[in-house]
Amino acid sequence: MNKKVIAALAMMSVFSTYASAAALRVAADAVPHSEILNHIKQTDKKLDLNVIELNGNLNANELLARGDVDANYFQHVPYLRDQEKALGETFSVVATVHIEPLGIYSHKVKSLKDLPDGAQVAVPNNVTNLSRALYLLQANGLLKLNSTRANTLVTSADITDNPHHLKIIEVEAPQLPRALDDAQLAIINGNYALQAGLVPSKDALALEQAKDNPYANVLVTTPKLAKDPRILELAKDLESKQTAEFINQHYRGSVIPVHQ
């Protein structure tokens, strides 16, 4: 073997060692995702985590596709699949962690029984969470859809019976807590409810059920990094009993671990 080949192999070995030892960059929503990751950061000293909190201007799947981060933790699989189609990318799910139950909230009524006819209902405007919101309204007897399967996407066009003449208003998901000042109801994702100071297990008039819920939040990376030791270590931590205990103790039913 000549000296140039030996030198090249040596450089590759150094690079590989450096890459595997580098901090793992994970993009995550502030609540609860970053909080859960920072808990792991404190408890697993073998894992060097760089948690990058997302804001409304950042698309974590675009960051991952560009190589700006190594993984992200903020989304459920139906949303991820829509993103793959939109971006023309393929990603890998490496851990299934928790469910953030979608909730129905109000500043204007104390019970769904008090909801007036013609009430305005603010719902998320992205396809998957709009579908979840409509199924939640159906589960609580407020309307009927042409489907009862939660993994089948629906829109307002699929409403077959609206006895209360509800006015469905689509809103950017992060803005839904603000919609509570105007609409009679707002159906809010768990993370945005928590960020707004709401306690889903206490403040919601109704919550999604965890059983058979297809919207568990997942750790996502690229196929190239799916077997990276750092990714595998984080996936193990996120699905651990210790993390489930942290979620249960810290969020008290507002976030539900998949692996109990």
Side-chain angles (χ1 to χ4, degrees), residues 2 9 18 71 91 95-96 121 131 154 170 179-180 191 203 251-252:
N2 63 44
L9 289 173
Y18 171 79
F91 299 108
T96 305
V121 182
S131 186
V154 293
E170 296 183 21
L180 288 169
N191 58 321
D203 296 328
Y251 300 106
R252 300 185 179 278

Side-chain angles (χ1 to χ4, degrees), residues 96-103 132 136 139 150 206-217 247-248 253-260:
T96 305
V97 189
H98 72 267
I99 295 162
E100 298 168 18
L102 208 65
R132 292 173 72 185
L136 184 57
L207 282 174
E208 276 182 319
Q209 297 297 308
K211 185 179 179 181
D212 299 324
N213 192 311
Y215 297 103
N217 280 216
I247 292 172
N248 285 328
S254 297
V255 179
I256 303 169
V258 172
H259 303 277
Q260 297 279 3

Side-chain angles (χ1 to χ4, degrees), residues 128 131-132 134-136 138 145-155 158 212-215:
T128 52
S131 186
R132 292 173 72 185
L134 293 175
Y135 279 117
L136 184 57
Q138 177 170 257
L145 301 164
N146 60 15
S147 173
T148 58
R149 297 178 60 190
N151 58 352
T152 300
L153 294 178
V154 293
T155 69
D158 296 298
D212 299 324
N213 192 311
Y215 297 103

